[in-house]
Short mmCIF file of all heavy atoms in Angstrom, two decimals:
data_model
loop_
_atom_site.label_atom_id
_atom_site.label_comp_id
_atom_site.label_asym_id
_atom_site.label_seq_id
_atom_site.Cartn_x
_atom_site.Cartn_y
_atom_site.Cartn_z
N MET A 110 105.56 204.06 97.87
CA MET A 110 106.07 204.38 96.63
C MET A 110 106.54 203.04 95.88
O MET A 110 107.63 202.53 96.21
CB MET A 110 107.25 205.34 96.72
CG MET A 110 106.95 206.63 97.28
SD MET A 110 108.38 207.69 97.27
CE MET A 110 107.56 209.22 97.22
N GLN A 111 105.79 202.54 95.01
CA GLN A 111 106.11 201.32 94.34
C GLN A 111 106.00 201.54 92.88
O GLN A 111 104.95 202.17 92.40
CB GLN A 111 105.20 200.27 94.84
CG GLN A 111 105.57 198.90 94.45
CD GLN A 111 104.83 197.85 95.23
OE1 GLN A 111 103.77 198.13 95.84
NE2 GLN A 111 105.21 196.61 95.22
N ASN A 112 106.97 201.07 92.11
CA ASN A 112 106.81 201.22 90.68
C ASN A 112 105.88 200.16 90.06
O ASN A 112 105.41 199.30 90.75
CB ASN A 112 108.18 201.17 90.00
CG ASN A 112 108.76 199.84 89.92
OD1 ASN A 112 108.15 198.84 90.12
ND2 ASN A 112 110.12 199.78 89.70
N GLN A 113 105.52 200.33 88.84
CA GLN A 113 104.46 199.53 88.17
C GLN A 113 104.89 198.11 87.91
O GLN A 113 104.12 197.24 87.61
CB GLN A 113 103.94 200.21 86.95
CG GLN A 113 103.26 201.52 87.28
CD GLN A 113 102.75 202.22 86.07
OE1 GLN A 113 102.91 201.72 84.92
NE2 GLN A 113 102.02 203.28 86.29
N ASP A 114 106.20 197.77 88.03
CA ASP A 114 106.69 196.47 87.75
C ASP A 114 106.61 195.59 89.03
O ASP A 114 107.10 194.49 89.08
CB ASP A 114 108.14 196.50 87.32
CG ASP A 114 108.34 197.15 85.93
OD1 ASP A 114 107.32 197.13 85.17
OD2 ASP A 114 109.33 197.74 85.74
N ASN A 115 105.93 196.14 90.04
CA ASN A 115 105.78 195.39 91.31
C ASN A 115 107.07 195.06 92.04
O ASN A 115 107.21 193.98 92.64
CB ASN A 115 104.90 194.18 91.13
CG ASN A 115 104.23 193.66 92.42
OD1 ASN A 115 104.04 194.47 93.31
ND2 ASN A 115 103.93 192.38 92.47
N GLN A 116 108.01 195.93 91.87
CA GLN A 116 109.33 195.70 92.57
C GLN A 116 109.20 196.25 94.05
O GLN A 116 108.24 196.87 94.30
CB GLN A 116 110.44 196.46 91.79
CG GLN A 116 110.67 195.88 90.47
CD GLN A 116 111.80 196.58 89.73
OE1 GLN A 116 112.28 197.58 90.15
NE2 GLN A 116 112.21 195.99 88.57
N GLN A 117 110.25 196.08 94.71
CA GLN A 117 110.37 196.52 96.15
C GLN A 117 110.12 198.03 96.32
O GLN A 117 110.60 198.78 95.50
CB GLN A 117 111.70 196.12 96.69
CG GLN A 117 111.89 196.39 98.16
CD GLN A 117 110.98 195.52 99.03
OE1 GLN A 117 110.91 194.38 98.83
NE2 GLN A 117 110.25 196.13 99.88
N LYS A 118 109.43 198.35 97.28
CA LYS A 118 109.20 199.83 97.54
C LYS A 118 110.53 200.46 97.96
O LYS A 118 111.36 199.79 98.57
CB LYS A 118 108.16 199.99 98.78
CG LYS A 118 106.78 199.67 98.46
CD LYS A 118 105.91 200.02 99.65
CE LYS A 118 104.45 199.84 99.28
NZ LYS A 118 103.62 200.36 100.35
N ILE A 119 110.57 201.75 97.65
CA ILE A 119 111.79 202.57 97.97
C ILE A 119 111.66 203.05 99.34
O ILE A 119 112.65 203.15 100.11
CB ILE A 119 111.99 203.70 96.96
CG1 ILE A 119 112.33 203.10 95.60
CG2 ILE A 119 113.05 204.50 97.36
CD1 ILE A 119 112.24 204.11 94.51
N CYS A 120 110.43 203.52 99.80
CA CYS A 120 110.27 203.99 101.11
C CYS A 120 108.87 203.66 101.53
O CYS A 120 107.96 203.31 100.78
CB CYS A 120 110.54 205.44 101.20
SG CYS A 120 109.42 206.48 100.23
N TYR A 121 108.68 203.81 102.86
CA TYR A 121 107.35 203.51 103.47
C TYR A 121 106.94 204.70 104.39
O TYR A 121 107.74 205.30 105.04
CB TYR A 121 107.56 202.33 104.45
CG TYR A 121 107.94 201.01 103.71
CD1 TYR A 121 109.27 200.76 103.48
CD2 TYR A 121 107.00 200.19 103.21
CE1 TYR A 121 109.65 199.59 102.84
CE2 TYR A 121 107.39 198.97 102.55
CZ TYR A 121 108.70 198.68 102.39
OH TYR A 121 109.09 197.57 101.73
N SER A 122 105.62 204.91 104.44
CA SER A 122 105.13 205.80 105.48
C SER A 122 105.17 205.06 106.79
O SER A 122 105.46 203.78 106.79
CB SER A 122 103.64 206.11 105.16
OG SER A 122 102.90 204.93 105.22
N ILE A 123 104.90 205.66 107.82
CA ILE A 123 104.95 204.93 109.16
C ILE A 123 103.85 203.84 109.11
O ILE A 123 104.19 202.66 109.53
CB ILE A 123 104.65 205.87 110.34
CG1 ILE A 123 105.65 206.98 110.45
CG2 ILE A 123 104.51 205.06 111.64
CD1 ILE A 123 107.12 206.45 110.59
N LYS A 124 102.64 204.08 108.53
CA LYS A 124 101.63 203.14 108.47
C LYS A 124 102.13 201.98 107.61
O LYS A 124 101.86 200.84 107.90
CB LYS A 124 100.34 203.70 107.84
CG LYS A 124 99.22 202.81 107.73
CD LYS A 124 97.99 203.46 107.13
CE LYS A 124 96.83 202.46 106.98
NZ LYS A 124 95.65 203.15 106.47
N GLY A 125 102.77 202.26 106.48
CA GLY A 125 103.34 201.20 105.60
C GLY A 125 104.36 200.38 106.32
O GLY A 125 104.43 199.16 106.16
N ALA A 126 105.24 201.03 107.05
CA ALA A 126 106.26 200.25 107.79
C ALA A 126 105.64 199.35 108.87
O ALA A 126 106.12 198.25 109.10
CB ALA A 126 107.23 201.28 108.47
N VAL A 127 104.59 199.90 109.51
CA VAL A 127 103.88 199.04 110.54
C VAL A 127 103.29 197.78 109.79
O VAL A 127 103.45 196.65 110.31
CB VAL A 127 102.78 199.82 111.23
CG1 VAL A 127 101.82 198.98 111.96
CG2 VAL A 127 103.36 200.91 112.18
N ASN A 128 102.67 197.96 108.67
CA ASN A 128 102.13 196.87 107.98
C ASN A 128 103.18 195.87 107.48
O ASN A 128 102.99 194.69 107.47
CB ASN A 128 101.21 197.35 106.78
CG ASN A 128 100.01 198.01 107.15
OD1 ASN A 128 99.49 197.77 108.30
ND2 ASN A 128 99.49 198.90 106.34
N TYR A 129 104.26 196.46 107.01
CA TYR A 129 105.44 195.62 106.49
C TYR A 129 106.06 194.77 107.59
O TYR A 129 106.41 193.61 107.33
CB TYR A 129 106.46 196.58 105.86
CG TYR A 129 107.63 195.86 105.23
CD1 TYR A 129 107.42 195.21 103.96
CD2 TYR A 129 108.88 195.93 105.72
CE1 TYR A 129 108.58 194.66 103.36
CE2 TYR A 129 109.98 195.32 105.20
CZ TYR A 129 109.84 194.66 104.01
OH TYR A 129 110.85 194.10 103.45
N THR A 130 106.17 195.36 108.80
CA THR A 130 106.89 194.63 109.83
C THR A 130 106.04 194.00 110.92
O THR A 130 106.55 193.19 111.66
CB THR A 130 107.85 195.61 110.61
OG1 THR A 130 107.03 196.67 111.19
CG2 THR A 130 108.85 196.22 109.59
N ASP A 131 104.88 194.45 111.12
CA ASP A 131 103.98 194.08 112.25
C ASP A 131 104.48 194.68 113.58
O ASP A 131 104.00 194.20 114.63
CB ASP A 131 103.80 192.50 112.37
CG ASP A 131 102.74 192.05 111.39
OD1 ASP A 131 101.95 192.78 110.90
OD2 ASP A 131 102.79 190.80 111.18
N PHE A 132 105.43 195.59 113.54
CA PHE A 132 105.79 196.30 114.76
C PHE A 132 104.62 197.26 115.03
O PHE A 132 104.04 197.71 114.05
CB PHE A 132 107.08 197.04 114.61
CG PHE A 132 108.32 196.22 114.54
CD1 PHE A 132 109.61 196.80 114.16
CD2 PHE A 132 108.34 194.86 114.78
CE1 PHE A 132 110.69 196.07 114.08
CE2 PHE A 132 109.41 194.07 114.66
CZ PHE A 132 110.67 194.68 114.35
N SER A 133 104.48 197.74 116.23
CA SER A 133 103.37 198.70 116.50
C SER A 133 103.76 200.10 116.06
O SER A 133 104.95 200.47 116.00
CB SER A 133 103.01 198.68 117.99
OG SER A 133 104.08 199.22 118.73
N ARG A 134 102.80 200.95 115.84
CA ARG A 134 102.92 202.34 115.48
C ARG A 134 103.77 203.10 116.60
O ARG A 134 104.70 203.79 116.34
CB ARG A 134 101.62 202.95 115.27
CG ARG A 134 101.67 204.35 114.75
CD ARG A 134 100.21 204.79 114.44
NE ARG A 134 100.11 206.13 113.85
CZ ARG A 134 100.01 207.21 114.58
NH1 ARG A 134 99.94 207.18 115.86
NH2 ARG A 134 100.07 208.42 114.04
N SER A 135 103.40 202.77 117.86
CA SER A 135 104.02 203.44 118.98
C SER A 135 105.57 202.98 119.07
O SER A 135 106.38 203.79 119.45
CB SER A 135 103.30 203.24 120.25
OG SER A 135 103.20 201.82 120.56
N TYR A 136 105.74 201.69 118.74
CA TYR A 136 107.20 201.27 118.72
C TYR A 136 108.04 202.04 117.71
O TYR A 136 109.17 202.41 118.00
CB TYR A 136 107.16 199.74 118.42
CG TYR A 136 108.48 199.08 118.55
CD1 TYR A 136 108.96 198.68 119.80
CD2 TYR A 136 109.34 198.83 117.50
CE1 TYR A 136 110.13 198.07 120.05
CE2 TYR A 136 110.58 198.28 117.69
CZ TYR A 136 110.93 197.82 119.03
OH TYR A 136 112.12 197.23 119.16
N PHE A 137 107.41 202.27 116.52
CA PHE A 137 108.20 203.10 115.53
C PHE A 137 108.41 204.45 116.01
O PHE A 137 109.52 205.05 115.89
CB PHE A 137 107.41 203.13 114.18
CG PHE A 137 107.80 202.05 113.31
CD1 PHE A 137 106.90 200.97 113.10
CD2 PHE A 137 108.97 201.98 112.64
CE1 PHE A 137 107.28 199.90 112.28
CE2 PHE A 137 109.34 200.91 111.80
CZ PHE A 137 108.42 199.87 111.59
N PHE A 138 107.40 205.15 116.55
CA PHE A 138 107.60 206.50 117.05
C PHE A 138 108.64 206.59 118.27
O PHE A 138 109.38 207.56 118.31
CB PHE A 138 106.28 207.15 117.39
CG PHE A 138 105.55 207.62 116.20
CD1 PHE A 138 104.31 207.02 115.77
CD2 PHE A 138 105.96 208.64 115.40
CE1 PHE A 138 103.68 207.40 114.68
CE2 PHE A 138 105.27 209.08 114.24
CZ PHE A 138 104.14 208.44 113.90
N ASP A 139 108.57 205.58 119.01
CA ASP A 139 109.60 205.55 120.10
C ASP A 139 110.97 205.39 119.58
O ASP A 139 111.88 206.05 120.00
CB ASP A 139 109.25 204.40 121.03
CG ASP A 139 110.17 204.39 122.30
OD1 ASP A 139 110.27 205.45 122.98
OD2 ASP A 139 110.74 203.33 122.62
N ALA A 140 111.12 204.51 118.52
CA ALA A 140 112.48 204.27 117.96
C ALA A 140 112.95 205.58 117.20
O ALA A 140 114.11 205.96 117.24
CB ALA A 140 112.40 203.14 116.96
N ILE A 141 112.01 206.25 116.59
CA ILE A 141 112.33 207.51 115.88
C ILE A 141 112.85 208.55 116.92
O ILE A 141 113.83 209.21 116.73
CB ILE A 141 111.19 208.06 115.02
CG1 ILE A 141 110.85 207.11 113.88
CG2 ILE A 141 111.41 209.48 114.59
CD1 ILE A 141 109.47 207.32 113.24
N LYS A 142 112.03 208.63 118.04
CA LYS A 142 112.35 209.63 119.02
C LYS A 142 113.79 209.33 119.65
O LYS A 142 114.54 210.22 119.98
CB LYS A 142 111.33 209.58 120.14
CG LYS A 142 111.50 210.53 121.28
CD LYS A 142 110.38 210.42 122.22
CE LYS A 142 110.57 211.27 123.47
NZ LYS A 142 109.51 211.12 124.51
N LYS A 143 114.11 208.08 119.76
CA LYS A 143 115.43 207.70 120.36
C LYS A 143 116.53 207.70 119.30
O LYS A 143 117.66 207.41 119.64
CB LYS A 143 115.34 206.27 120.94
CG LYS A 143 114.45 206.22 122.17
CD LYS A 143 114.43 204.80 122.75
CE LYS A 143 113.53 204.79 123.93
NZ LYS A 143 113.36 203.39 124.51
N GLY A 144 116.23 208.03 118.00
CA GLY A 144 117.23 208.09 117.01
C GLY A 144 117.64 206.71 116.49
O GLY A 144 118.73 206.61 115.87
N LYS A 145 116.82 205.67 116.71
CA LYS A 145 117.22 204.36 116.24
C LYS A 145 116.91 204.08 114.75
O LYS A 145 117.35 203.11 114.26
CB LYS A 145 116.49 203.24 117.10
CG LYS A 145 116.92 203.20 118.55
CD LYS A 145 116.22 202.07 119.21
CE LYS A 145 116.69 201.88 120.62
NZ LYS A 145 115.98 200.75 121.26
N ILE A 146 116.05 204.91 114.21
CA ILE A 146 115.71 204.75 112.82
C ILE A 146 115.71 206.12 112.12
O ILE A 146 115.25 207.12 112.64
CB ILE A 146 114.34 203.94 112.70
CG1 ILE A 146 114.06 203.66 111.27
CG2 ILE A 146 113.23 204.73 113.35
CD1 ILE A 146 112.96 202.64 111.11
N LYS A 147 116.20 206.09 110.95
CA LYS A 147 116.28 207.34 110.16
C LYS A 147 114.98 207.54 109.38
O LYS A 147 114.43 206.59 108.87
CB LYS A 147 117.43 207.31 109.16
CG LYS A 147 118.77 207.24 109.77
CD LYS A 147 119.83 207.06 108.66
CE LYS A 147 121.10 206.49 109.17
NZ LYS A 147 122.01 206.12 108.09
N THR A 148 114.49 208.76 109.41
CA THR A 148 113.28 209.14 108.72
C THR A 148 113.49 210.46 107.92
O THR A 148 114.42 211.18 108.19
CB THR A 148 112.08 209.26 109.52
OG1 THR A 148 112.23 210.35 110.51
CG2 THR A 148 111.76 207.96 110.31
N PHE A 149 112.62 210.77 107.04
CA PHE A 149 112.51 212.08 106.40
C PHE A 149 111.07 212.48 106.26
O PHE A 149 110.17 211.62 106.27
CB PHE A 149 113.26 212.09 105.06
CG PHE A 149 112.69 211.25 103.95
CD1 PHE A 149 111.80 211.81 103.06
CD2 PHE A 149 112.95 209.88 103.87
CE1 PHE A 149 111.27 211.07 102.06
CE2 PHE A 149 112.44 209.11 102.96
CZ PHE A 149 111.53 209.70 101.97
N LYS A 150 110.77 213.78 106.16
CA LYS A 150 109.45 214.25 105.99
C LYS A 150 109.23 214.89 104.65
O LYS A 150 110.11 215.55 104.11
CB LYS A 150 109.16 215.25 107.12
CG LYS A 150 109.03 214.64 108.47
CD LYS A 150 108.66 215.67 109.53
CE LYS A 150 107.15 215.88 109.52
NZ LYS A 150 106.70 216.67 110.62
N ARG A 151 108.07 214.74 104.09
CA ARG A 151 107.54 215.41 103.01
C ARG A 151 106.20 216.02 103.37
O ARG A 151 105.23 215.31 103.61
CB ARG A 151 107.31 214.50 101.80
CG ARG A 151 108.59 214.01 101.19
CD ARG A 151 109.31 215.10 100.56
NE ARG A 151 110.62 214.71 99.99
CZ ARG A 151 111.84 214.93 100.57
NH1 ARG A 151 111.89 215.62 101.71
NH2 ARG A 151 112.87 214.56 100.06
N GLY A 152 106.17 217.33 103.56
CA GLY A 152 105.05 217.97 104.11
C GLY A 152 104.86 217.52 105.54
O GLY A 152 105.74 217.54 106.34
N SER A 153 103.71 217.06 105.87
CA SER A 153 103.44 216.60 107.27
C SER A 153 103.66 215.07 107.39
O SER A 153 103.59 214.56 108.52
CB SER A 153 102.03 216.96 107.63
OG SER A 153 101.12 216.30 106.78
N ARG A 154 103.97 214.37 106.33
CA ARG A 154 104.12 212.89 106.32
C ARG A 154 105.62 212.54 106.57
O ARG A 154 106.54 213.22 106.06
CB ARG A 154 103.64 212.26 105.04
CG ARG A 154 102.12 212.62 104.92
CD ARG A 154 101.62 211.82 103.71
NE ARG A 154 101.64 210.35 103.99
CZ ARG A 154 101.53 209.47 103.04
NH1 ARG A 154 101.33 209.76 101.83
NH2 ARG A 154 101.62 208.11 103.38
N ARG A 155 105.79 211.53 107.39
CA ARG A 155 107.07 211.00 107.63
C ARG A 155 107.37 209.64 106.91
O ARG A 155 106.42 208.86 106.85
CB ARG A 155 107.32 210.78 109.17
CG ARG A 155 108.62 210.44 109.63
CD ARG A 155 108.76 210.45 111.08
NE ARG A 155 108.47 211.74 111.71
CZ ARG A 155 109.47 212.63 111.90
NH1 ARG A 155 110.69 212.36 111.41
NH2 ARG A 155 109.17 213.74 112.46
N PHE A 156 108.56 209.49 106.36
CA PHE A 156 108.80 208.31 105.57
C PHE A 156 110.13 207.62 106.03
O PHE A 156 110.97 208.36 106.61
CB PHE A 156 108.95 208.64 104.10
CG PHE A 156 107.68 209.09 103.44
CD1 PHE A 156 107.36 210.47 103.37
CD2 PHE A 156 106.75 208.17 102.91
CE1 PHE A 156 106.18 210.85 102.78
CE2 PHE A 156 105.57 208.58 102.32
CZ PHE A 156 105.31 209.90 102.31
N ILE A 157 110.27 206.41 105.79
CA ILE A 157 111.40 205.54 106.14
C ILE A 157 111.89 204.88 104.75
O ILE A 157 111.15 204.20 104.19
CB ILE A 157 111.12 204.49 107.20
CG1 ILE A 157 110.52 205.08 108.42
CG2 ILE A 157 112.46 203.77 107.50
CD1 ILE A 157 109.94 204.07 109.44
N LEU A 158 113.14 205.12 104.48
CA LEU A 158 113.74 204.42 103.31
C LEU A 158 113.78 202.91 103.61
O LEU A 158 114.01 202.45 104.72
CB LEU A 158 115.11 204.90 102.99
CG LEU A 158 115.20 206.37 102.47
CD1 LEU A 158 116.68 206.76 102.32
CD2 LEU A 158 114.49 206.48 101.09
N HIS A 159 113.54 202.17 102.57
CA HIS A 159 113.52 200.67 102.70
C HIS A 159 114.87 200.21 103.31
O HIS A 159 114.80 199.37 104.24
CB HIS A 159 113.35 200.02 101.31
CG HIS A 159 113.42 198.53 101.40
ND1 HIS A 159 112.37 197.74 101.82
CD2 HIS A 159 114.48 197.67 101.09
CE1 HIS A 159 112.75 196.53 101.83
NE2 HIS A 159 113.97 196.37 101.37
N ASN A 160 116.03 200.63 102.85
CA ASN A 160 117.25 200.15 103.42
C ASN A 160 117.40 200.58 104.91
O ASN A 160 117.96 199.77 105.72
CB ASN A 160 118.45 200.72 102.61
CG ASN A 160 118.55 200.14 101.21
OD1 ASN A 160 117.90 199.09 100.94
ND2 ASN A 160 119.22 200.77 100.32
N ASP A 161 116.93 201.72 105.28
CA ASP A 161 116.99 202.12 106.67
C ASP A 161 116.03 201.20 107.55
O ASP A 161 116.31 200.95 108.72
CB ASP A 161 116.57 203.58 106.86
CG ASP A 161 117.65 204.53 106.25
OD1 ASP A 161 118.82 204.10 106.19
OD2 ASP A 161 117.32 205.62 105.90
N LEU A 162 114.84 200.86 106.96
CA LEU A 162 113.94 199.99 107.69
C LEU A 162 114.58 198.63 107.89
O LEU A 162 114.48 198.10 109.02
CB LEU A 162 112.59 199.93 106.92
CG LEU A 162 111.55 199.07 107.54
CD1 LEU A 162 111.19 199.48 108.90
CD2 LEU A 162 110.31 199.06 106.60
N VAL A 163 115.14 198.08 106.91
CA VAL A 163 115.84 196.81 106.96
C VAL A 163 116.97 196.80 108.01
O VAL A 163 117.08 196.00 108.82
CB VAL A 163 116.33 196.32 105.63
CG1 VAL A 163 117.24 195.12 105.76
CG2 VAL A 163 115.20 196.01 104.67
N GLU A 164 117.78 197.91 107.95
CA GLU A 164 118.86 198.06 108.97
C GLU A 164 118.37 198.11 110.39
O GLU A 164 118.83 197.51 111.29
CB GLU A 164 119.59 199.37 108.60
CG GLU A 164 120.81 199.60 109.40
CD GLU A 164 121.52 200.91 109.02
OE1 GLU A 164 121.73 201.15 107.87
OE2 GLU A 164 121.94 201.68 109.92
N PHE A 165 117.22 198.82 110.52
CA PHE A 165 116.53 198.98 111.82
C PHE A 165 116.09 197.60 112.36
O PHE A 165 116.34 197.16 113.50
CB PHE A 165 115.41 199.89 111.82
CG PHE A 165 114.58 199.93 113.06
CD1 PHE A 165 115.03 200.40 114.24
CD2 PHE A 165 113.33 199.46 112.98
CE1 PHE A 165 114.29 200.45 115.40
CE2 PHE A 165 112.47 199.43 114.14
CZ PHE A 165 112.96 199.88 115.30
N ILE A 166 115.47 196.84 111.46
CA ILE A 166 114.95 195.47 111.82
C ILE A 166 116.07 194.58 112.20
O ILE A 166 116.06 193.83 113.22
CB ILE A 166 114.13 194.86 110.64
CG1 ILE A 166 112.82 195.63 110.45
CG2 ILE A 166 113.80 193.42 110.91
CD1 ILE A 166 112.12 195.39 109.16
N LEU A 167 117.19 194.62 111.40
CA LEU A 167 118.30 193.76 111.75
C LEU A 167 118.99 194.11 113.09
O LEU A 167 119.43 193.27 113.85
CB LEU A 167 119.36 193.86 110.59
CG LEU A 167 118.90 193.19 109.30
CD1 LEU A 167 119.97 193.51 108.22
CD2 LEU A 167 118.70 191.72 109.47
N SER A 168 119.06 195.43 113.39
CA SER A 168 119.68 195.92 114.59
C SER A 168 118.80 195.44 115.76
O SER A 168 119.26 195.07 116.82
CB SER A 168 119.90 197.44 114.60
OG SER A 168 118.69 198.09 114.70
N GLU A 169 117.42 195.61 115.66
CA GLU A 169 116.57 195.09 116.63
C GLU A 169 116.66 193.63 116.93
O GLU A 169 116.66 193.11 117.99
CB GLU A 169 115.10 195.46 116.32
CG GLU A 169 114.86 196.97 116.39
CD GLU A 169 115.03 197.51 117.76
OE1 GLU A 169 114.25 197.22 118.72
OE2 GLU A 169 115.92 198.38 117.95
N SER A 170 116.83 192.80 115.79
CA SER A 170 116.98 191.42 115.89
C SER A 170 118.27 191.05 116.60
O SER A 170 118.30 190.16 117.45
CB SER A 170 117.03 190.80 114.50
OG SER A 170 117.37 189.44 114.53
N ASN A 171 119.37 191.74 116.30
CA ASN A 171 120.64 191.55 116.94
C ASN A 171 120.59 191.80 118.45
O ASN A 171 121.16 191.17 119.27
CB ASN A 171 121.73 192.33 116.37
CG ASN A 171 122.07 191.76 114.93
OD1 ASN A 171 121.77 190.63 114.61
ND2 ASN A 171 122.67 192.68 114.12
N GLN A 172 119.84 192.92 118.84
CA GLN A 172 119.68 193.24 120.18
C GLN A 172 118.95 192.21 120.93
O GLN A 172 119.22 191.82 122.09
CB GLN A 172 119.02 194.60 120.39
CG GLN A 172 119.91 195.78 120.00
CD GLN A 172 119.25 197.09 120.18
OE1 GLN A 172 118.05 197.18 120.70
NE2 GLN A 172 119.84 198.15 119.69
N GLY A 173 117.90 191.64 120.31
CA GLY A 173 117.09 190.53 120.91
C GLY A 173 117.93 189.33 121.17
O GLY A 173 117.79 188.72 122.21
N GLU A 174 118.83 189.04 120.25
CA GLU A 174 119.72 187.85 120.40
C GLU A 174 120.70 188.05 121.54
O GLU A 174 121.05 187.16 122.23
CB GLU A 174 120.43 187.52 119.09
CG GLU A 174 119.51 187.04 118.04
CD GLU A 174 120.24 186.81 116.70
OE1 GLU A 174 121.48 187.05 116.55
OE2 GLU A 174 119.55 186.45 115.78
N ALA A 175 121.15 189.27 121.71
CA ALA A 175 122.18 189.59 122.72
C ALA A 175 121.57 189.43 124.14
O ALA A 175 122.24 189.14 125.04
CB ALA A 175 122.71 190.98 122.51
N LYS A 176 120.29 189.70 124.25
CA LYS A 176 119.54 189.60 125.60
C LYS A 176 119.38 188.19 126.02
O LYS A 176 119.15 187.93 127.12
CB LYS A 176 118.25 190.38 125.55
CG LYS A 176 118.43 191.86 125.45
CD LYS A 176 117.09 192.59 125.33
CE LYS A 176 117.30 194.04 125.15
NZ LYS A 176 115.98 194.73 125.12
N GLN A 177 119.43 187.26 125.04
CA GLN A 177 119.06 185.83 125.39
C GLN A 177 120.27 185.15 126.07
O GLN A 177 121.30 185.38 126.06
CB GLN A 177 118.62 185.02 124.20
CG GLN A 177 117.38 185.52 123.67
CD GLN A 177 116.98 184.78 122.37
OE1 GLN A 177 117.66 183.94 121.87
NE2 GLN A 177 115.74 185.09 121.91
#
């Protein structure tokens, strides 16, 4: 969902989130199953709000730093 002024997307499909982050599709579904990322459904499609996606990426980054 992107407006015509080429501004930031408001939400992403799983495929869009995969393309945006380069995380694998299975990684997203595992994170969703574990409750690490918030999603919502419209019909049969699942979406992730941009802010929730950024929050998830930051939390994953922080976990990676903690393991080092």
